[in-house]
Amino acid sequence: MLIPPAHDPMSSVFISAVGRTLAEFLDEQAGLADRTGATAVLDAAHACVAGGKRLRPAFCYWGYVAAAGRPIDPGPLLRAAASLDLLHASLLVHDDLLDGSDTRRGAPSAHRRFEALLPGPRAARFGEAAAILLGDVLFSWSAEMFENAGLSPEAVRRAASVLATMRSEVLLGQYLDVAAAFGATDRSTPRAQADTAEKVLEFKSARYSVRRPAELGATLGEAPPGLLAALGTYGSLLGRAFQLRDDILGVFGDPEATGKPAGDDIREGKRTVLVLTALENGDARQHDTLDSLLGTPGLTEEDLTTAREIIEATGARNSCEELIARSTTDALTALEGADMDAEGRSALITLAGLATDRDR
């Protein structure tokens, strides 16, 4: 593979290389899929890893470069980094099922894809069951891909605890997100709701999307404690900004760019930092109206427009934009005193902008 330049850390070359690496790994599973008669699962797996931002592999790859410089043979590192997108695909399959989402990246979500394979009244139930199993298979394959990436046994052992923590944090953060949407968390005070939203922001997204991937790559590169600490601060702050951007896009995003219907977060009743800020800032009428719309079945476009207008009018969107900017600045400040490879530093700075200034 051509090694991407630090000034363009998510170049088309890098994105294509990650995609090709994932496709090659899945192609290696064809024999198993044929023997078990589960080729539909493999077909769906290929569909799940097609496209995507490749953000987590990029933070892993450049976290390594920050610690150890460019690898002589980038192949093993690329395969290890790409395995994070198999993990991500597994979580998206389950996330879409939990949220009842019909599309992902402009194509049918996995449970809808399976549902279309079976006509009749049991099709929906089959789609749900098959999607659960697909997510489990992708989760298992992500571990297999990482462990067999060609890294040294010592490097795999060093990184094992980071990867295990990353997996556990995102799953528990996902549970908390689901519990909050269903009202199974403490809503007794605005502070209690904000605490839950902050934990979801940190564990479901910030650590999973940026911090742990960067730490994983740096650990593979034998980073010293000081650099790991700097990357941890950078990763949590930038990961929060990344998710806040996602929250804004989940309400105001263009479906042509995001690949998902606009307003899905309102339909799903997600009490994100964006929504909670609007509820807290709004007057009684705005609060009660927005609260009544969250998670209500059958919302119309007019209902979604009302929700957006309240979020805008209460200043919640502007507040989140300011928080994104502040968190990104603080994340970059965390890198300033750290001793790291110059190309790695340049790439991590560029990645900060790519993660937060986007429309999808």
Side-chain angles (χ1 to χ4, degrees), residues 6 62 64-70 227 338-347:
W62 290 104
Y64 176 97
V65 175
R70 288 177 174 265
L227 177 54
D339 183 15
M340 69 179 77
D341 175 88
E343 281 194 305
R345 184 192 304 276
S346 175

Side-chain angles (χ1 to χ4, degrees), residues 97-350:
L97 180 58
L98 290 168
D99 292 342
S101 298
D102 294 329
T103 60
R104 169 66 62 177
R105 297 171 184 156
S109 52
H111 59 286
R112 297 303 184 205
R113 177 187 176 92
F114 283 118
E115 182 180 331
L117 299 178
L118 183 70
R122 302 184 67 193
R125 184 69 188 94
F126 167 69
E128 293 168 358
I132 291 170
L133 295 170
L134 170 63
D136 291 347
V137 168
L138 289 168
F139 194 93
S140 175
W141 280 345
S142 73
E144 180 181 336
M145 187 177 184
F146 181 83
E147 291 165 5
N148 297 328
L151 300 166
S152 71
E154 294 78 13
V156 172
R157 281 196 293 271
R158 277 199 310 273
S161 63
V162 179
L163 194 52
T165 298
M166 176 181 175
R167 292 167 180 154
S168 296
E169 284 175 341
V170 69
L171 291 173
L172 294 173
Q174 176 72 297
Y175 163 79
L176 193 60
D177 191 28
V178 170
F182 278 87
T185 54
D186 185 1
R187 292 188 181 177
S188 59
T189 65
R191 181 66 261 167
Q193 294 187 61
D195 285 345
T196 298
E198 290 288 332
K199 288 177 182 176
V200 171
L201 185 61
E202 178 68 20
F203 293 105
K204 184 188 173 186
S205 188
R207 296 190 182 206
Y208 163 66
S209 297
V210 182
R211 178 173 178 166
R212 298 308 184 197
E215 289 176 338
L216 180 67
T219 299
L220 291 173
E222 299 185 76
L227 177 54
L228 287 174
L231 289 175
T233 301
Y234 162 88
S236 278
L237 287 165
L238 184 60
R240 292 165 72 85
F242 168 80
Q243 183 57 46
L244 288 167
R245 174 62 62 206
D246 253 16
D247 293 345
I248 291 174
L249 292 174
V251 176
F252 297 97
D254 178 359
E256 291 294 322
T258 64
K260 296 196 73 176
D264 261 11
D265 283 2
I266 302 299
R267 292 188 182 94
E268 294 156 16
K270 292 192 174 181
R271 292 176 179 263
T272 61
V273 171
L274 174 69
V275 168
L276 289 176
T277 301
L279 290 171
E280 184 174 1
N281 290 356
D283 58 29
R285 182 190 60 80
Q286 291 170 320
H287 177 282
D288 292 347
T289 301
L290 181 58
D291 191 56
S292 71
L293 294 173
L294 293 173
T296 299
L299 289 181
T300 65
E301 283 303 315
E302 184 179 354
D303 292 330
L304 294 174
T305 297
T306 297
R308 294 187 188 102
E309 288 174 348
I310 292 172
I311 291 170
E312 289 272 19
T314 58
R317 184 177 183 178
N318 285 339
S319 177
C320 281
E321 290 285 2
E322 292 169 2
L323 187 53
I324 288 169
R326 187 163 63 251
S327 295
T328 303
T329 298
D330 291 346
L332 295 177
T333 299
L335 297 181
E336 289 179 357
D339 183 15
M340 69 179 77
D341 175 88
E343 281 194 305
R345 184 192 304 276
S346 175
L348 291 172
I349 291 171
T350 301

